[in-house]
Amino acid sequence: MRTRLFALALLLGASPLAAQGLKVPATVDTLPNGLRLIVHEDQSTPIVSVNVWYHTGSGSEKVGRTGFAHLFEHLMFMGSQNAVYPAFDRLLEAAGANNNGSTTEDRTNYYESGPVSALPLMLWLEADRMGWLLPTMDSAKVDAQRDIVKNERRQSYENQPYGMVADHLPRMLYPAGHPYSWPVIGSMVDLSAASVEDVKDFFRTWYAPNNAVITVAGAVKHDSVLALVKHYFSAIPRGPAITAINPTRPKMTRDTALVLEDRVQVAQLEYVFPTVKAWDPDDAALQVARMILAGSKNARLTKRLVYDEQTATMVMASPDHRRYDGDFDIVARPKPGKPIAPVQRAVDEELRRLGEAPPTAREMEQAKNALEAAFLRSTQTVDGKADQLNQYFFEVGVPDAFQRDLDRLRAVTPADVQRVVKQYLTGPRAIVSVVPMGKRELAAEPRGVTP
């Protein structure tokens, strides 16, 4: 889930904002224990957002112990030494604040949002679970949250139409042992095997202040926030140094195909192409390509398949650029009872056509405008800005990279889009067909080896 680009290009180009650039000023401080603090002051409304990123996700897990990062996200809400369960939620709700968390392959985040008067409470609660969670960790908590995560997996994967695609794709795209070769949710076997000591070891390694970044955005003053963070977090000792890794994925030289039978009424084609990691020079051009292919009603795949030929009920495209690598996903569903093959051939034709000739000026303008508008909408709130500041700090080392990110989009040319489509979206891919039970004849056609 990445929204990284941008602002209304043409509108900005004619406005005073274009001249001054897109700025979200932020300070960065580092405590002696390694904790980084980002502060963004926005005095427009008396609210505040606290956004904590731990630089660990499912990609930090060990083979045979998958699902720990997400399991730990749940455990972080089960109480700590001074905020015994269910104090975390109750105290924040009483203060008019809300909270949640999320886990990806690369990071786990936790956030609170509410009136600025609740800031000391938010920071105290975050400090207590960063520094004093383990004394309260026991098998009862692990077992309870393990069962909840297993149910979440059943709801989102096993019992969700088309849900098992996400379980199979990682190992179709990445070699065994690569940090992205298993799903964030983990496997049932690994979750069942998780012991209390395994969970504690994961916490000791990854949930240390030197592996965390706190962003505070809202109606605050830098000096006051820094004083509060020093007060609550300074006593938490630094954790072990994190060893950097640089996993690589061998070049895909041939298609990998899979047919899944599922309790669905409509077949589904899913293509996934290996691409590039976040902030690669081709990242922005692939975002534009996504919009031109399936980002609107008149996008090439959507217009042809859903509206003109009416052979598909839906089509979507989504690039995913992460810390170590990236992929580009295309999903299309034919009409009920119809085979995938005609839709598949149309998708192949449109990809080939865009790889052979650049998009029109009108397509480029619409795609960039849509991406930039979506980006601006995501930064309308201090919650959105807090998370984006943390994401930029994680990816490029500075929190305010908004204008830099915008500039990347604006620099994309029609030739860039043509080149990345030809380079990444016409070659070998993972192909997953989901068909109704007993209807394997509806599956995608084999494409054979593609150089």
Side-chain angles (χ1 to χ4, degrees), residues 407-435:
D407 290 342
R408 297 188 314 133
L409 172 72
R410 290 178 170 171
V412 174
T413 67
D416 290 333
V417 175
Q418 178 190 358
R419 177 182 55 77
V420 298
V421 169
K422 184 175 183 179
Q423 180 175 345
Y424 301 107
L425 308 185
T426 60
R429 66 202 67 176
I431 305 172
V432 181
S433 303
V434 182
V435 298

Side-chain angles (χ1 to χ4, degrees), residues 274-289:
T275 57
V276 296
K277 62 184 179 182
W279 289 84
D280 181 276
D282 289 340
D283 174 340
L286 286 161
Q287 294 273 0
V288 176

Side-chain angles (χ1 to χ4, degrees), residues 6 402-412:
F6 321 103
F402 291 82
Q403 185 63 43
R404 181 175 161 191
D405 208 2
L406 177 61
D407 290 342
R408 297 188 314 133
L409 172 72
R410 290 178 170 171
V412 174

Side-chain angles (χ1 to χ4, degrees), residues 167-188:
D167 193 51
H168 288 275
L169 273 174
R171 54 183 175 269
M172 296 177 69
L173 292 163
Y174 295 92
H178 189 287
Y180 296 162
S181 64
W182 53 83
V184 173
I185 195 76
S187 77
M188 282 293 195

Side-chain angles (χ1 to χ4, degrees), residues 26 53 86 104 135 245 249 282 396 407:
W53 275 41
T104 72
I245 61 173
R249 170 170 55 179
D282 289 340
V396 298
D407 290 342

